[in-house]
Amino acid sequence: MSSPPPSVPDDTVREELRDLIRSVAFLNRTHHWLVTRAWVWLAGFCSLYILGGLLLGWSAAYEVLVGLTAPSDCSRPWLAYGLSLTGGLLVPGLTGAATGYIVTRQIERRRSMALAELLRQMRAQSGGPGPPPLPRGST
């Protein structure tokens, strides 16, 4: 008579979280950073903006963030300077990084093609008239 297979205990929440974090390791460096670390920056930015909205007013916080109002003109300049620096450095930096990543991916995709294939694809996309006709009498 055979004994029943041993029961496997369910994973704890900690083990499931560890497995979830390890499962994103197959992503490339940028995707991995976005999934595992970017939330810290986003949470900091959102909390600073919400704090600015509550203490300065939502329109004043937005105007300081985008640079329409000087931080020294606000009722709480210490918070306004933080918003101003965030709007002037962090937001364009992240936007530029994302744009650079997308452009780099497109360049790498094109570089992986053979030259003849790349030229054929460029000619097909340009929609030009094509090569000139051969002169009469030539083969």
Side-chain angles (χ1 to χ4, degrees), residues 1-2 15-16 25 43 48 60 63 97-98 112-113 125 136 138:
M1 188 159 121
S2 66
E15 290 171 338
E16 288 179 4
L48 183 65
E63 289 174 358
S112 64
M113 292 183 194
Q125 289 176 354
R136 292 183 188 226
S138 62

Side-chain angles (χ1 to χ4, degrees), residues 13-110:
V13 173
R14 181 179 175 200
E15 290 171 338
E16 288 179 4
L17 182 63
R18 180 200 64 208
D19 292 342
L20 178 67
I21 291 172
R22 287 181 180 172
S23 69
V24 298
F26 70 91
L27 298 172
N28 67 24
R29 291 174 63 185
T30 305
H31 290 137
H32 189 268
W33 182 84
L34 285 172
V35 170
T36 60
R37 303 282 195 293
W39 65 271
V40 175
W41 290 94
L42 185 62
F45 173 72
C46 289
S47 62
L48 183 65
Y49 183 69
I50 290 171
L51 183 65
L54 294 174
L55 296 179
L56 300 173
W58 294 104
S59 62
Y62 173 76
E63 289 174 358
V64 168
L65 183 72
V66 297
L68 297 176
T69 303
S72 59
D73 294 343
C74 293
S75 60
R76 292 180 174 84
W78 56 271
L79 180 60
Y81 277 110
L83 277 172
S84 179
L85 284 173
T86 302
L89 299 175
L90 184 65
V91 173
L94 290 176
T95 305
T99 304
Y101 174 73
I102 292 170
V103 168
T104 301
R105 293 287 297 204
Q106 292 297 318
I107 290 172
E108 287 174 354
R109 197 186 82 194
R110 296 246 185 212

